[in-house]
Amino acid sequence: MGASIKGASRRGLAALALAMTAAPVLAAPRTCPRVMDEAAETTAILKVIADMQAAWNRGDFHGYMAGFLDPGVIFVSKGRFQDGWQGTLDHYIRDYGASADTRGQVRFHDIKVEMLGPDAAQLISRYELIRPKQAQRGINTRLMRKVAGRWVIALNHVSAEEGPSAA
């Protein structure tokens, strides 16, 4: 009986030593390639937002809308759902498209991106719409999805406050 206990003890010690050796490897933080993937995806998302800002500021509503999932975007603003991608485009043209003064210049800032998975991210940012009458500022909350290899906004929620004209 003594021999089997000694054998069991040796096997137990060997297993414990193996577990202690493997534990640091299993507990190690993510490897560099994964971190670099997240950084690259975040950069790609930020480029979508920068491209949208540039399109709006030059009066290109179709270019601005290229950043949204077409046709399935869900867009919430002023306590209402817009009617999908086309309804959102129609809203921008109708309510902002009469002139450069009604369109104003938009600026997205304080942008925070959290990767939720390889094809999903959450983006929260502040925005300012600077125009002679009824300047706006507020917060965008966006669910970004990677569809067919490119990032688009699948869900956009705007919390806005309107103020006096920008001086």
PDB file of all heavy atoms in Angstrom, residues 20-58:
ATOM      1  N   MET A  20       1.141  24.626 -12.214  1.00  0.00           N
ATOM      2  CA  MET A  20       1.776  25.887 -11.826  1.00  0.00           C
ATOM      3  C   MET A  20       2.571  26.486 -12.976  1.00  0.00           C
ATOM      4  O   MET A  20       2.655  27.698 -13.119  1.00  0.00           O
ATOM      5  CB  MET A  20       2.669  25.670 -10.612  1.00  0.00           C
ATOM      6  CG  MET A  20       1.869  25.397  -9.342  1.00  0.00           C
ATOM      7  SD  MET A  20       2.888  25.019  -7.916  1.00  0.00           S
ATOM      8  CE  MET A  20       3.751  26.551  -7.706  1.00  0.00           C
ATOM      9  N   THR A  21       3.117  25.640 -13.829  1.00  0.00           N
ATOM     10  CA  THR A  21       3.861  26.115 -14.983  1.00  0.00           C
ATOM     11  C   THR A  21       2.916  26.686 -16.032  1.00  0.00           C
ATOM     12  O   THR A  21       3.193  27.704 -16.655  1.00  0.00           O
ATOM     13  CB  THR A  21       4.686  24.967 -15.599  1.00  0.00           C
ATOM     14  OG1 THR A  21       5.529  24.440 -14.578  1.00  0.00           O
ATOM     15  CG2 THR A  21       5.520  25.445 -16.764  1.00  0.00           C
ATOM     16  N   ALA A  22       1.753  26.073 -16.204  1.00  0.00           N
ATOM     17  CA  ALA A  22       0.805  26.501 -17.226  1.00  0.00           C
ATOM     18  C   ALA A  22      -0.003  27.712 -16.794  1.00  0.00           C
ATOM     19  O   ALA A  22      -0.442  28.492 -17.622  1.00  0.00           O
ATOM     20  CB  ALA A  22      -0.141  25.345 -17.570  1.00  0.00           C
ATOM     21  N   ALA A  23      -0.200  27.902 -15.493  1.00  0.00           N
ATOM     22  CA  ALA A  23      -1.058  28.979 -15.005  1.00  0.00           C
ATOM     23  C   ALA A  23      -0.648  30.353 -15.522  1.00  0.00           C
ATOM     24  O   ALA A  23      -1.494  31.109 -15.995  1.00  0.00           O
ATOM     25  CB  ALA A  23      -1.110  28.961 -13.478  1.00  0.00           C
ATOM     26  N   PRO A  24       0.644  30.737 -15.468  1.00  0.00           N
ATOM     27  CA  PRO A  24       0.998  32.069 -15.985  1.00  0.00           C
ATOM     28  C   PRO A  24       0.689  32.220 -17.473  1.00  0.00           C
ATOM     29  O   PRO A  24       0.319  33.288 -17.923  1.00  0.00           O
ATOM     30  CB  PRO A  24       2.500  32.172 -15.723  1.00  0.00           C
ATOM     31  CG  PRO A  24       2.780  31.194 -14.633  1.00  0.00           C
ATOM     32  CD  PRO A  24       1.774  30.082 -14.823  1.00  0.00           C
ATOM     33  N   VAL A  25       0.832  31.160 -18.239  1.00  0.00           N
ATOM     34  CA  VAL A  25       0.536  31.228 -19.669  1.00  0.00           C
ATOM     35  C   VAL A  25      -0.960  31.434 -19.881  1.00  0.00           C
ATOM     36  O   VAL A  25      -1.390  32.258 -20.688  1.00  0.00           O
ATOM     37  CB  VAL A  25       1.031  29.953 -20.393  1.00  0.00           C
ATOM     38  CG1 VAL A  25       0.564  29.932 -21.835  1.00  0.00           C
ATOM     39  CG2 VAL A  25       2.534  29.855 -20.293  1.00  0.00           C
ATOM     40  N   LEU A  26      -1.773  30.699 -19.133  1.00  0.00           N
ATOM     41  CA  LEU A  26      -3.228  30.809 -19.280  1.00  0.00           C
ATOM     42  C   LEU A  26      -3.737  32.156 -18.797  1.00  0.00           C
ATOM     43  O   LEU A  26      -4.720  32.669 -19.307  1.00  0.00           O
ATOM     44  CB  LEU A  26      -3.923  29.672 -18.529  1.00  0.00           C
ATOM     45  CG  LEU A  26      -3.630  28.266 -19.051  1.00  0.00           C
ATOM     46  CD1 LEU A  26      -4.251  27.224 -18.134  1.00  0.00           C
ATOM     47  CD2 LEU A  26      -4.145  28.102 -20.470  1.00  0.00           C
ATOM     48  N   ALA A  27      -3.084  32.721 -17.804  1.00  0.00           N
ATOM     49  CA  ALA A  27      -3.532  33.991 -17.243  1.00  0.00           C
ATOM     50  C   ALA A  27      -2.920  35.197 -17.934  1.00  0.00           C
ATOM     51  O   ALA A  27      -3.223  36.325 -17.596  1.00  0.00           O
ATOM     52  CB  ALA A  27      -3.196  34.033 -15.752  1.00  0.00           C
ATOM     53  N   ALA A  28      -2.055  34.978 -18.903  1.00  0.00           N
ATOM     54  CA  ALA A  28      -1.368  36.078 -19.574  1.00  0.00           C
ATOM     55  C   ALA A  28      -2.368  36.980 -20.290  1.00  0.00           C
ATOM     56  O   ALA A  28      -3.401  36.526 -20.761  1.00  0.00           O
ATOM     57  CB  ALA A  28      -0.361  35.526 -20.583  1.00  0.00           C
ATOM     58  N   PRO A  29      -2.081  38.276 -20.366  1.00  0.00           N
ATOM     59  CA  PRO A  29      -2.972  39.179 -21.094  1.00  0.00           C
ATOM     60  C   PRO A  29      -2.982  38.845 -22.582  1.00  0.00           C
ATOM     61  O   PRO A  29      -2.145  38.091 -23.063  1.00  0.00           O
ATOM     62  CB  PRO A  29      -2.364  40.567 -20.850  1.00  0.00           C
ATOM     63  CG  PRO A  29      -0.960  40.309 -20.433  1.00  0.00           C
ATOM     64  CD  PRO A  29      -0.923  38.933 -19.826  1.00  0.00           C
ATOM     65  N   ARG A  30      -3.951  39.431 -23.281  1.00  0.00           N
ATOM     66  CA  ARG A  30      -4.058  39.220 -24.726  1.00  0.00           C
ATOM     67  C   ARG A  30      -2.730  39.493 -25.402  1.00  0.00           C
ATOM     68  O   ARG A  30      -1.984  40.376 -24.994  1.00  0.00           O
ATOM     69  CB  ARG A  30      -5.108  40.155 -25.323  1.00  0.00           C
ATOM     70  CG  ARG A  30      -6.490  39.811 -24.896  1.00  0.00           C
ATOM     71  CD  ARG A  30      -7.435  40.765 -25.571  1.00  0.00           C
ATOM     72  NE  ARG A  30      -8.786  40.476 -25.140  1.00  0.00           N
ATOM     73  CZ  ARG A  30      -9.808  41.235 -25.387  1.00  0.00           C
ATOM     74  NH1 ARG A  30      -9.653  42.332 -26.072  1.00  0.00           N
ATOM     75  NH2 ARG A  30     -11.007  40.904 -24.972  1.00  0.00           N
ATOM     76  N   THR A  31      -2.499  38.789 -26.455  1.00  0.00           N
ATOM     77  CA  THR A  31      -1.253  38.986 -27.183  1.00  0.00           C
ATOM     78  C   THR A  31      -1.333  40.242 -28.029  1.00  0.00           C
ATOM     79  O   THR A  31      -2.410  40.738 -28.328  1.00  0.00           O
ATOM     80  CB  THR A  31      -0.956  37.761 -28.082  1.00  0.00           C
ATOM     81  OG1 THR A  31      -2.036  37.638 -29.007  1.00  0.00           O
ATOM     82  CG2 THR A  31      -0.793  36.497 -27.261  1.00  0.00           C
ATOM     83  N   CYS A  32      -0.205  40.739 -28.440  1.00  0.00           N
ATOM     84  CA  CYS A  32      -0.110  41.964 -29.228  1.00  0.00           C
ATOM     85  C   CYS A  32      -0.972  41.958 -30.489  1.00  0.00           C
ATOM     86  O   CYS A  32      -1.615  42.944 -30.765  1.00  0.00           O
ATOM     87  CB  CYS A  32       1.337  42.235 -29.587  1.00  0.00           C
ATOM     88  SG  CYS A  32       1.978  43.668 -28.737  1.00  0.00           S
ATOM     89  N   PRO A  33      -1.011  40.871 -31.274  1.00  0.00           N
ATOM     90  CA  PRO A  33      -1.812  40.917 -32.495  1.00  0.00           C
ATOM     91  C   PRO A  33      -3.277  41.262 -32.231  1.00  0.00           C
ATOM     92  O   PRO A  33      -3.888  41.997 -32.973  1.00  0.00           O
ATOM     93  CB  PRO A  33      -1.650  39.518 -33.087  1.00  0.00           C
ATOM     94  CG  PRO A  33      -0.321  39.061 -32.587  1.00  0.00           C
ATOM     95  CD  PRO A  33      -0.211  39.651 -31.207  1.00  0.00           C
ATOM     96  N   ARG A  34      -3.866  40.744 -31.146  1.00  0.00           N
ATOM     97  CA  ARG A  34      -5.260  41.042 -30.833  1.00  0.00           C
ATOM     98  C   ARG A  34      -5.424  42.530 -30.513  1.00  0.00           C
ATOM     99  O   ARG A  34      -6.339  43.170 -30.964  1.00  0.00           O
ATOM    100  CB  ARG A  34      -5.721  40.167 -29.658  1.00  0.00           C
ATOM    101  CG  ARG A  34      -7.108  40.458 -29.163  1.00  0.00           C
ATOM    102  CD  ARG A  34      -8.144  40.015 -30.158  1.00  0.00           C
ATOM    103  NE  ARG A  34      -9.450  40.251 -29.566  1.00  0.00           N
ATOM    104  CZ  ARG A  34     -10.519  40.500 -30.268  1.00  0.00           C
ATOM    105  NH1 ARG A  34     -10.475  40.495 -31.569  1.00  0.00           N
ATOM    106  NH2 ARG A  34     -11.669  40.715 -29.686  1.00  0.00           N
ATOM    107  N   VAL A  35      -4.507  43.083 -29.717  1.00  0.00           N
ATOM    108  CA  VAL A  35      -4.562  44.501 -29.382  1.00  0.00           C
ATOM    109  C   VAL A  35      -4.427  45.336 -30.654  1.00  0.00           C
ATOM    110  O   VAL A  35      -5.160  46.286 -30.863  1.00  0.00           O
ATOM    111  CB  VAL A  35      -3.469  44.856 -28.349  1.00  0.00           C
ATOM    112  CG1 VAL A  35      -3.378  46.349 -28.151  1.00  0.00           C
ATOM    113  CG2 VAL A  35      -3.748  44.156 -27.029  1.00  0.00           C
ATOM    114  N   MET A  36      -3.528  44.944 -31.539  1.00  0.00           N
ATOM    115  CA  MET A  36      -3.339  45.679 -32.781  1.00  0.00           C
ATOM    116  C   MET A  36      -4.578  45.576 -33.665  1.00  0.00           C
ATOM    117  O   MET A  36      -4.933  46.532 -34.322  1.00  0.00           O
ATOM    118  CB  MET A  36      -2.090  45.191 -33.497  1.00  0.00           C
ATOM    119  CG  MET A  36      -0.821  45.576 -32.761  1.00  0.00           C
ATOM    120  SD  MET A  36       0.661  45.072 -33.602  1.00  0.00           S
ATOM    121  CE  MET A  36       0.662  46.230 -34.960  1.00  0.00           C
ATOM    122  N   ASP A  37      -5.262  44.453 -33.666  1.00  0.00           N
ATOM    123  CA  ASP A  37      -6.503  44.319 -34.434  1.00  0.00           C
ATOM    124  C   ASP A  37      -7.538  45.318 -33.916  1.00  0.00           C
ATOM    125  O   ASP A  37      -8.209  45.977 -34.695  1.00  0.00           O
ATOM    126  CB  ASP A  37      -7.066  42.904 -34.330  1.00  0.00           C
ATOM    127  CG  ASP A  37      -6.265  41.882 -35.121  1.00  0.00           C
ATOM    128  OD1 ASP A  37      -5.436  42.285 -35.954  1.00  0.00           O
ATOM    129  OD2 ASP A  37      -6.489  40.690 -34.891  1.00  0.00           O
ATOM    130  N   GLU A  38      -7.688  45.412 -32.591  1.00  0.00           N
ATOM    131  CA  GLU A  38      -8.648  46.352 -32.017  1.00  0.00           C
ATOM    132  C   GLU A  38      -8.277  47.783 -32.371  1.00  0.00           C
ATOM    133  O   GLU A  38      -9.144  48.593 -32.686  1.00  0.00           O
ATOM    134  CB  GLU A  38      -8.744  46.166 -30.504  1.00  0.00           C
ATOM    135  CG  GLU A  38      -9.483  44.903 -30.113  1.00  0.00           C
ATOM    136  CD  GLU A  38      -9.684  44.766 -28.622  1.00  0.00           C
ATOM    137  OE1 GLU A  38      -9.488  45.752 -27.881  1.00  0.00           O
ATOM    138  OE2 GLU A  38     -10.050  43.654 -28.198  1.00  0.00           O
ATOM    139  N   ALA A  39      -7.011  48.094 -32.332  1.00  0.00           N
ATOM    140  CA  ALA A  39      -6.561  49.443 -32.683  1.00  0.00           C
ATOM    141  C   ALA A  39      -6.860  49.733 -34.149  1.00  0.00           C
ATOM    142  O   ALA A  39      -7.321  50.827 -34.497  1.00  0.00           O
ATOM    143  CB  ALA A  39      -5.078  49.600 -32.393  1.00  0.00           C
ATOM    144  N   ALA A  40      -6.623  48.762 -35.018  1.00  0.00           N
ATOM    145  CA  ALA A  40      -6.897  48.956 -36.451  1.00  0.00           C
ATOM    146  C   ALA A  40      -8.392  49.129 -36.696  1.00  0.00           C
ATOM    147  O   ALA A  40      -8.804  49.967 -37.509  1.00  0.00           O
ATOM    148  CB  ALA A  40      -6.354  47.774 -37.258  1.00  0.00           C
ATOM    149  N   GLU A  41      -9.204  48.341 -36.005  1.00  0.00           N
ATOM    150  CA  GLU A  41     -10.661  48.464 -36.180  1.00  0.00           C
ATOM    151  C   GLU A  41     -11.148  49.808 -35.653  1.00  0.00           C
ATOM    152  O   GLU A  41     -11.994  50.461 -36.275  1.00  0.00           O
ATOM    153  CB  GLU A  41     -11.393  47.301 -35.488  1.00  0.00           C
ATOM    154  CG  GLU A  41     -11.064  45.926 -36.029  1.00  0.00           C
ATOM    155  CD  GLU A  41     -11.384  45.718 -37.505  1.00  0.00           C
ATOM    156  OE1 GLU A  41     -12.128  46.506 -38.110  1.00  0.00           O
ATOM    157  OE2 GLU A  41     -10.874  44.727 -38.063  1.00  0.00           O
ATOM    158  N   THR A  42     -10.611  50.237 -34.532  1.00  0.00           N
ATOM    159  CA  THR A  42     -10.986  51.551 -33.986  1.00  0.00           C
ATOM    160  C   THR A  42     -10.604  52.660 -34.959  1.00  0.00           C
ATOM    161  O   THR A  42     -11.393  53.585 -35.202  1.00  0.00           O
ATOM    162  CB  THR A  42     -10.316  51.769 -32.613  1.00  0.00           C
ATOM    163  OG1 THR A  42     -10.794  50.769 -31.706  1.00  0.00           O
ATOM    164  CG2 THR A  42     -10.624  53.146 -32.055  1.00  0.00           C
ATOM    165  N   THR A  43      -9.429  52.563 -35.541  1.00  0.00           N
ATOM    166  CA  THR A  43      -8.988  53.547 -36.534  1.00  0.00           C
ATOM    167  C   THR A  43      -9.932  53.554 -37.735  1.00  0.00           C
ATOM    168  O   THR A  43     -10.293  54.627 -38.240  1.00  0.00           O
ATOM    169  CB  THR A  43      -7.540  53.247 -36.973  1.00  0.00           C
ATOM    170  OG1 THR A  43      -6.694  53.372 -35.821  1.00  0.00           O
ATOM    171  CG2 THR A  43      -7.067  54.200 -38.058  1.00  0.00           C
ATOM    172  N   ALA A  44     -10.359  52.389 -38.179  1.00  0.00           N
ATOM    173  CA  ALA A  44     -11.285  52.301 -39.318  1.00  0.00           C
ATOM    174  C   ALA A  44     -12.627  52.940 -38.966  1.00  0.00           C
ATOM    175  O   ALA A  44     -13.229  53.635 -39.795  1.00  0.00           O
ATOM    176  CB  ALA A  44     -11.472  50.838 -39.735  1.00  0.00           C
ATOM    177  N   ILE A  45     -13.102  52.730 -37.755  1.00  0.00           N
ATOM    178  CA  ILE A  45     -14.369  53.337 -37.311  1.00  0.00           C
ATOM    179  C   ILE A  45     -14.235  54.855 -37.260  1.00  0.00           C
ATOM    180  O   ILE A  45     -15.112  55.591 -37.727  1.00  0.00           O
ATOM    181  CB  ILE A  45     -14.791  52.757 -35.949  1.00  0.00           C
ATOM    182  CG1 ILE A  45     -15.225  51.303 -36.119  1.00  0.00           C
ATOM    183  CG2 ILE A  45     -15.890  53.599 -35.306  1.00  0.00           C
ATOM    184  CD1 ILE A  45     -15.375  50.539 -34.817  1.00  0.00           C
ATOM    185  N   LEU A  46     -13.136  55.343 -36.704  1.00  0.00           N
ATOM    186  CA  LEU A  46     -12.926  56.793 -36.627  1.00  0.00           C
ATOM    187  C   LEU A  46     -12.845  57.423 -38.012  1.00  0.00           C
ATOM    188  O   LEU A  46     -13.295  58.561 -38.209  1.00  0.00           O
ATOM    189  CB  LEU A  46     -11.670  57.098 -35.809  1.00  0.00           C
ATOM    190  CG  LEU A  46     -11.755  56.735 -34.325  1.00  0.00           C
ATOM    191  CD1 LEU A  46     -10.402  56.938 -33.649  1.00  0.00           C
ATOM    192  CD2 LEU A  46     -12.850  57.531 -33.622  1.00  0.00           C
ATOM    193  N   LYS A  47     -12.313  56.687 -38.983  1.00  0.00           N
ATOM    194  CA  LYS A  47     -12.264  57.196 -40.361  1.00  0.00           C
ATOM    195  C   LYS A  47     -13.673  57.333 -40.933  1.00  0.00           C
ATOM    196  O   LYS A  47     -13.966  58.299 -41.640  1.00  0.00           O
ATOM    197  CB  LYS A  47     -11.410  56.290 -41.250  1.00  0.00           C
ATOM    198  CG  LYS A  47     -11.300  56.839 -42.672  1.00  0.00           C
ATOM    199  CD  LYS A  47     -10.360  56.050 -43.522  1.00  0.00           C
ATOM    200  CE  LYS A  47     -10.198  56.557 -44.936  1.00  0.00           C
ATOM    201  NZ  LYS A  47     -11.186  57.436 -45.505  1.00  0.00           N
ATOM    202  N   VAL A  48     -14.556  56.391 -40.637  1.00  0.00           N
ATOM    203  CA  VAL A  48     -15.951  56.499 -41.093  1.00  0.00           C
ATOM    204  C   VAL A  48     -16.556  57.796 -40.569  1.00  0.00           C
ATOM    205  O   VAL A  48     -17.193  58.550 -41.322  1.00  0.00           O
ATOM    206  CB  VAL A  48     -16.787  55.277 -40.626  1.00  0.00           C
ATOM    207  CG1 VAL A  48     -18.274  55.502 -40.864  1.00  0.00           C
ATOM    208  CG2 VAL A  48     -16.314  54.004 -41.317  1.00  0.00           C
ATOM    209  N   ILE A  49     -16.351  58.084 -39.291  1.00  0.00           N
ATOM    210  CA  ILE A  49     -16.924  59.290 -38.682  1.00  0.00           C
ATOM    211  C   ILE A  49     -16.292  60.549 -39.285  1.00  0.00           C
ATOM    212  O   ILE A  49     -16.985  61.527 -39.584  1.00  0.00           O
ATOM    213  CB  ILE A  49     -16.753  59.247 -37.143  1.00  0.00           C
ATOM    214  CG1 ILE A  49     -17.398  57.984 -36.553  1.00  0.00           C
ATOM    215  CG2 ILE A  49     -17.308  60.509 -36.501  1.00  0.00           C
ATOM    216  CD1 ILE A  49     -18.863  57.767 -36.919  1.00  0.00           C
ATOM    217  N   ALA A  50     -14.983  60.542 -39.501  1.00  0.00           N
ATOM    218  CA  ALA A  50     -14.305  61.697 -40.117  1.00  0.00           C
ATOM    219  C   ALA A  50     -14.809  61.920 -41.544  1.00  0.00           C
ATOM    220  O   ALA A  50     -15.036  63.070 -41.959  1.00  0.00           O
ATOM    221  CB  ALA A  50     -12.796  61.492 -40.108  1.00  0.00           C
ATOM    222  N   ASP A  51     -15.001  60.838 -42.297  1.00  0.00           N
ATOM    223  CA  ASP A  51     -15.518  60.956 -43.665  1.00  0.00           C
ATOM    224  C   ASP A  51     -16.941  61.506 -43.668  1.00  0.00           C
ATOM    225  O   ASP A  51     -17.300  62.320 -44.524  1.00  0.00           O
ATOM    226  CB  ASP A  51     -15.484  59.607 -44.386  1.00  0.00           C
ATOM    227  CG  ASP A  51     -14.078  59.141 -44.721  1.00  0.00           C
ATOM    228  OD1 ASP A  51     -13.108  59.938 -44.606  1.00  0.00           O
ATOM    229  OD2 ASP A  51     -13.938  57.950 -45.094  1.00  0.00           O
ATOM    230  N   MET A  52     -17.746  61.076 -42.697  1.00  0.00           N
ATOM    231  CA  MET A  52     -19.111  61.590 -42.588  1.00  0.00           C
ATOM    232  C   MET A  52     -19.100  63.084 -42.273  1.00  0.00           C
ATOM    233  O   MET A  52     -19.859  63.855 -42.870  1.00  0.00           O
ATOM    234  CB  MET A  52     -19.882  60.819 -41.508  1.00  0.00           C
ATOM    235  CG  MET A  52     -20.176  59.381 -41.869  1.00  0.00           C
ATOM    236  SD  MET A  52     -20.932  58.471 -40.500  1.00  0.00           S
ATOM    237  CE  MET A  52     -22.530  59.306 -40.374  1.00  0.00           C
ATOM    238  N   GLN A  53     -18.255  63.486 -41.343  1.00  0.00           N
ATOM    239  CA  GLN A  53     -18.157  64.901 -40.985  1.00  0.00           C
ATOM    240  C   GLN A  53     -17.761  65.736 -42.202  1.00  0.00           C
ATOM    241  O   GLN A  53     -18.368  66.781 -42.473  1.00  0.00           O
ATOM    242  CB  GLN A  53     -17.140  65.070 -39.857  1.00  0.00           C
ATOM    243  CG  GLN A  53     -16.912  66.511 -39.445  1.00  0.00           C
ATOM    244  CD  GLN A  53     -15.971  66.609 -38.266  1.00  0.00           C
ATOM    245  OE1 GLN A  53     -16.232  66.059 -37.207  1.00  0.00           O
ATOM    246  NE2 GLN A  53     -14.859  67.313 -38.449  1.00  0.00           N
ATOM    247  N   ALA A  54     -16.775  65.280 -42.948  1.00  0.00           N
ATOM    248  CA  ALA A  54     -16.318  66.012 -44.136  1.00  0.00           C
ATOM    249  C   ALA A  54     -17.426  66.092 -45.184  1.00  0.00           C
ATOM    250  O   ALA A  54     -17.627  67.149 -45.807  1.00  0.00           O
ATOM    251  CB  ALA A  54     -15.073  65.340 -44.720  1.00  0.00           C
ATOM    252  N   ALA A  55     -18.164  64.997 -45.379  1.00  0.00           N
ATOM    253  CA  ALA A  55     -19.253  64.994 -46.363  1.00  0.00           C
ATOM    254  C   ALA A  55     -20.341  65.994 -45.967  1.00  0.00           C
ATOM    255  O   ALA A  55     -20.823  66.765 -46.802  1.00  0.00           O
ATOM    256  CB  ALA A  55     -19.832  63.583 -46.507  1.00  0.00           C
ATOM    257  N   TRP A  56     -20.737  65.985 -44.690  1.00  0.00           N
ATOM    258  CA  TRP A  56     -21.761  66.926 -44.227  1.00  0.00           C
ATOM    259  C   TRP A  56     -21.298  68.364 -44.472  1.00  0.00           C
ATOM    260  O   TRP A  56     -22.047  69.187 -45.007  1.00  0.00           O
ATOM    261  CB  TRP A  56     -22.029  66.722 -42.735  1.00  0.00           C
ATOM    262  CG  TRP A  56     -23.076  67.661 -42.203  1.00  0.00           C
ATOM    263  CD1 TRP A  56     -22.888  68.963 -41.823  1.00  0.00           C
ATOM    264  CD2 TRP A  56     -24.457  67.379 -42.033  1.00  0.00           C
ATOM    265  NE1 TRP A  56     -24.069  69.510 -41.411  1.00  0.00           N
ATOM    266  CE2 TRP A  56     -25.052  68.557 -41.529  1.00  0.00           C
ATOM    267  CE3 TRP A  56     -25.246  66.257 -42.238  1.00  0.00           C
ATOM    268  CZ2 TRP A  56     -26.404  68.634 -41.226  1.00  0.00           C
ATOM    269  CZ3 TRP A  56     -26.593  66.335 -41.932  1.00  0.00           C
ATOM    270  CH2 TRP A  56     -27.170  67.511 -41.445  1.00  0.00           C
ATOM    271  N   ASN A  57     -20.078  68.647 -44.109  1.00  0.00           N
ATOM    272  CA  ASN A  57     -19.577  70.020 -44.185  1.00  0.00           C
ATOM    273  C   ASN A  57     -19.424  70.527 -45.610  1.00  0.00           C
ATOM    274  O   ASN A  57     -19.414  71.735 -45.835  1.00  0.00           O
ATOM    275  CB  ASN A  57     -18.270  70.152 -43.394  1.00  0.00           C
ATOM    276  CG  ASN A  57     -18.522  70.037 -41.900  1.00  0.00           C
ATOM    277  OD1 ASN A  57     -19.638  70.227 -41.417  1.00  0.00           O
ATOM    278  ND2 ASN A  57     -17.488  69.707 -41.160  1.00  0.00           N
ATOM    279  N   ARG A  58     -19.351  69.636 -46.587  1.00  0.00           N
ATOM    280  CA  ARG A  58     -19.321  70.088 -47.982  1.00  0.00           C
ATOM    281  C   ARG A  58     -20.717  69.994 -48.629  1.00  0.00           C
ATOM    282  O   ARG A  58     -20.870  70.246 -49.822  1.00  0.00           O
ATOM    283  CB  ARG A  58     -18.272  69.328 -48.783  1.00  0.00           C
ATOM    284  CG  ARG A  58     -18.526  67.885 -49.038  1.00  0.00           C
ATOM    285  CD  ARG A  58     -17.437  67.234 -49.924  1.00  0.00           C
ATOM    286  NE  ARG A  58     -17.707  65.834 -50.060  1.00  0.00           N
ATOM    287  CZ  ARG A  58     -17.224  64.878 -49.274  1.00  0.00           C
ATOM    288  NH1 ARG A  58     -16.380  65.183 -48.302  1.00  0.00           N
ATOM    289  NH2 ARG A  58     -17.548  63.618 -49.470  1.00  0.00           N
TER     290      ARG A  58
END
